[in-house]
Each structure stands twice: as structure tokens, then as C-alpha cells.
Amino acid sequence: QWSDLINWVLYIVIWYQPGIDRQEWVEWIFRDGAVHGVLWIFVFVYVLIPLVQLGFYRGLHFIPYVHRYKIQTRLPTVKEQTLIQSQFIEFVGNAILLVTIVYGFISWAGPVTMETWRRSQVEQVPTRWTTFYQSVISVVVADAVFYTGHRISHSTRLYRYHKQHHEFQMPVPLSVRNVHWMDALLALFMMWIPLALFPSMHIFTFVFITILGLVHGFYDHSGWDLPVPVFQFVPFANHVRAHDDHHRLNCGNYGGYFTCWDDWGGTRIV
């Protein structure tokens, strides 16, 4: 139902707002049981959020005022345009596959297990401080792992797998998904780092971290240096130009969220 999607959008806005009864809100999400709640979570995170971002960056092309912030000077090549089309088709297919896998896992777990898990999520809503520090630690550790894996994939024989991602010398939002299955394994490993660090992490904290990663990934490949870059308000924050240079030169700037790894590793390109 559209009301579910609207309330998920509101979740992102109100989660950190004072005066909000978040436990009541969590109960509403799971009002029809764990299966309903989990499926809506995955649809919201892995389907709606990417589609909204694709629409946003596509819409910028129709606003002359913001064209000054476009950092890429050429149009995509014919090969890149073909890749963009194939990546969108693959995105739709992967979204359907993911929801199917999640539903299958829920069915395998059984109603008793899922109901027990649902109760734990409703009764143990984390404080804002818990969500904050778990998110910060998870992002820093995951980005250190990403830097290491990304640098290795460029400096060893593993590049034969990673080079698929560099078919886009001029990245576009959908190019974030143009990866070999070996690269996808690294991304999958990173996705579970928060739960490895904090096994009892609440699902909404995990959702917040996942959404942050999706938004950052699309932004990094957007080609737009917007005047309000949301990822520039923290120390050592990476910049969209850094990743654009990484694709253009095919080396250096291996960090994701932060530039400190490249500074310390001597791989920073300025």
C-alpha cells in the first residue's frame, strides 16, 4: 500500500527527531507480522530508495540552474549508453530476485522464529545514541575493509574481475551496480560487517546504515558536485570528484566514505 511507502519515507525523517514514540512506530511497521514488516523493509531499501535516486539525478538534467555543478564534460559513449540500459534491466531483475530470496528465507525460518524475532525488535528499540555510535563504528570499519579490498583489486590479478566496473570511465549513478560477481561478494561481505560488530543490532539501525551506503554509492557515481554535498560535513569525508578521478585515471582514491585511508596509504590523487 502507498501508505506503507509514505510511512517508510517518514521513518527516515523522524527517526532522530525528539518527541517521537519510536516504539509505537516500530509496532506499526510490524502490525501485520514479521513477514509483512521484513518484506516492506527490503522493498523500501533495495527498490524504492535506488529508484528515487535515479529519478533525482535524471531530473537534474532538466534544471538549467544546476548544470554548473555537473563535473563531467562529455556525454556517455554508445557503449556506456548500452551498459546503462543493461544495468537498469539487471537492477529490476536483481530486485525481484532479492525479494524472492528474502521471502524464501522467511518461509524457511518459520512463523515461530519470525514471531520471536519480531517481538525482540518491537521491545528493544534502540536509543538514538545507540543507533548513532553503532552506525559510526560500522561505517568506519566497513570503509577500511573496502579501501583494502579495492586497492588489492587494482594491484593484483583480481583486477581482471574489477575491470568490469571501470567500463565506465565517466561514472553515472547506475554504474555503481556494474560489478563482477567477485566484486559483489566484497560488497555482500561489507553489508554484514555491522551485524558482525554488533550481533544484537536492531534492524532499523541496520536499515539506516544500508541506506547511507546506497545513497553514498549513487552520489559517488553521479557526476554532480552539488553545492550541498551531504557527505562533506565529517572529517576526512570523501568527495564525488575523488571517485570521478578514480574512474578517469583508473587508479588511486580507493576509499569510499573517507580520504584518510588514501592519505595514509599514499594513494590519494588530488
Side-chain angles (χ1 to χ4, degrees):
Q1 299 177 7
W2 284 107
S3 60
D4 289 338
L5 295 179
I6 293 173
N7 274 280
W8 268 107
V9 173
L10 290 176
Y11 154 68
I12 301 303
V13 177
I14 70 176
W15 187 248
Y16 286 99
Q17 299 304 310
I20 298 297
D21 188 340
R22 294 180 300 153
Q23 182 164 356
E24 181 178 327
W25 197 89
V26 172
E27 291 175 352
W28 182 89
I29 289 296
F30 290 108
R31 69 195 185 283
D32 292 328
V35 174
H36 177 276
V38 170
L39 285 177
W40 268 117
I41 288 171
F42 274 84
V43 169
F44 176 80
V45 173
Y46 292 104
V47 180
L48 182 63
I49 291 293
L51 285 176
V52 168
Q53 292 186 89
L54 290 175
F56 172 75
Y57 289 116
R58 180 61 178 169
L60 292 180
H61 291 278
F62 300 99
I63 307 177
Y65 174 78
V66 300
H67 288 178
R68 70 187 75 181
Y69 303 115
K70 182 68 174 170
I71 63 176
Q72 298 159 344
T73 57
R74 68 171 177 85
L75 295 174
T77 63
V78 174
K79 180 182 178 181
E80 288 172 336
Q81 290 176 351
T82 303
L83 285 171
I84 292 172
Q85 295 172 0
S86 66
Q87 285 303 307
F88 184 77
I89 295 173
E90 186 176 331
F91 159 72
V92 175
N94 286 342
I96 296 173
L97 177 62
L98 179 63
V99 173
T100 303
I101 292 174
V102 170
Y103 185 77
F105 175 79
I106 291 173
S107 301
W108 172 80
V112 176
T113 300
M114 293 305 299
E115 177 60 20
T116 301
W117 175 82
R118 184 193 71 82
R119 289 177 182 174
S120 71
Q121 298 303 295
V122 171
E123 297 171 359
Q124 301 174 16
V125 178
T127 64
R128 293 177 177 85
W129 166 246
T130 299
T131 299
F132 175 76
Y133 84 76
Q134 288 183 349
S135 299
V136 170
I137 294 174
S138 297
V139 166
V140 171
V141 173
D143 201 50
V145 172
F146 174 77
Y147 169 83
T148 304
H150 195 188
R151 182 172 181 177
I152 291 174
S153 69
H154 271 267
S155 56
T156 67
R157 293 182 179 179
L158 291 176
Y159 182 72
R160 60 180 175 174
Y161 305 114
H162 184 63
K163 68 179 181 181
Q164 177 178 331
H165 184 62
H166 282 269
E167 290 177 324
F168 286 90
Q169 292 186 344
M170 184 188 73
V172 295
L174 265 177
S175 63
V176 70
R177 294 182 174 271
N178 183 38
V179 295
H180 190 274
W181 65 267
M182 287 289 288
D183 270 353
L185 286 179
L186 174 61
L188 185 63
F189 174 74
M190 289 175 53
M191 186 179 75
W192 294 106
I193 286 178
L195 292 180
L197 294 171
F198 306 100
S200 61
M201 176 180 286
H202 194 275
I203 189 171
F204 285 168
T205 304
F206 181 74
V207 165
F208 176 79
I209 296 170
T210 303
I211 291 176
L212 186 64
L214 288 171
V215 172
H216 184 267
F218 275 85
Y219 172 71
D220 245 8
H221 294 80
S222 68
W224 292 90
D225 185 16
L226 299 174
V228 186
V230 295
F231 295 104
Q232 302 306 304
F233 299 121
V234 295
F236 305 110
N238 212 336
H239 198 277
V240 63
R241 289 182 182 271
H243 198 70
D244 207 74
D245 288 340
H246 171 74
H247 273 262
R248 181 172 55 86
L249 301 173
N250 201 17
C251 67
N253 293 352
Y254 299 121
Y257 288 101
F258 306 107
T259 60
C260 56
W261 319 119
D262 287 290
D263 290 333
W264 298 336
T267 54
R268 177 80 178 275
I269 299 174
V270 181

